[in-house]
Amino acid sequence: MTTPIALIPAMTSYTTPSGEVSASSEYSPSRYAAWQAFDISGSTSWFAGIAGVGQWLQYRFEKPHRFTSFEIHTTSSNTHADNYIIQASNDGLNWENINNGKQYSIPVTNNDTKVIDTISDEERFSYIRLFQNSCIY
């Protein structure tokens, strides 16, 4: 078994060191900016500025990649996306559900939670995003 390679680098801004992070909304860009979801800090996170279904967090790569797995880490909060899908795109406009549209859920806990899964799709994509289907408040 090979060790997965992190395709998304530890981000220090929306575009540094590479690629581009964006989101449907941000609760407070100074505290819960979208790029902080990818800073590998553990003490920061992205928090959507609008409650409810349809919020998303995405990363644009500089060139297309094939995704073989993913990890999602939540903070110790009771407010988070509890049902979501992983989507991919090559233009940032037309999205396709990867892993056959598999629905992922995060249990409600006050502890950090990690969701890890493999991706079976063979196609290469320039964008990947987490799309929220429901939320717990």
Side-chain angles (χ1 to χ4, degrees):
M1 183 172 159
T2 60
T3 303
I5 298 170
L7 295 175
I8 301 174
M11 300 299 287
T12 57
S13 75
Y14 293 96
T15 58
T16 305
S18 64
E20 182 178 14
V21 177
S22 58
S24 53
S25 65
E26 295 172 320
Y27 177 73
S28 170
S30 63
R31 183 158 181 212
Y32 298 108
W35 68 267
Q36 290 176 316
F38 303 101
D39 69 0
I40 312 178
S41 161
S43 64
T44 58
S45 61
W46 165 66
F47 199 95
I50 299 170
V53 175
Q55 297 300 300
W56 50 264
L57 174 68
Q58 75 181 29
Y59 182 83
R60 180 188 54 80
F61 293 91
E62 293 179 339
K63 63 180 184 176
H65 287 279
R66 180 176 170 259
F67 309 112
T68 57
S69 64
F70 71 90
E71 281 189 32
I72 296 174
H73 300 256
T74 64
T75 58
S76 45
S77 167
N78 279 332
T79 305
H80 58 268
D82 74 317
N83 192 283
Y84 56 91
I85 55 177
I86 305 296
Q87 297 181 312
S89 173
N90 279 313
D91 61 9
L93 300 172
N94 300 295
W95 294 90
E96 118 178 21
N97 297 340
I98 58 177
N99 266 10
N100 298 312
K102 182 176 179 179
Q103 301 283 318
Y104 295 94
S105 295
I106 298 174
V108 179
T109 66
N110 281 325
N111 302 314
D112 294 340
T113 304
K114 183 189 294 188
V115 175
I116 303 171
D117 199 6
T118 57
I119 297 174
S120 57
D121 296 25
E122 295 289 327
E123 191 173 342
R124 293 178 178 270
F125 294 99
S126 296
Y127 294 79
I128 191 162
R129 79 175 178 181
L130 179 145
F131 186 87
Q132 177 178 314
N133 289 324
S134 64
C135 189
I136 295 173
Y137 293 96

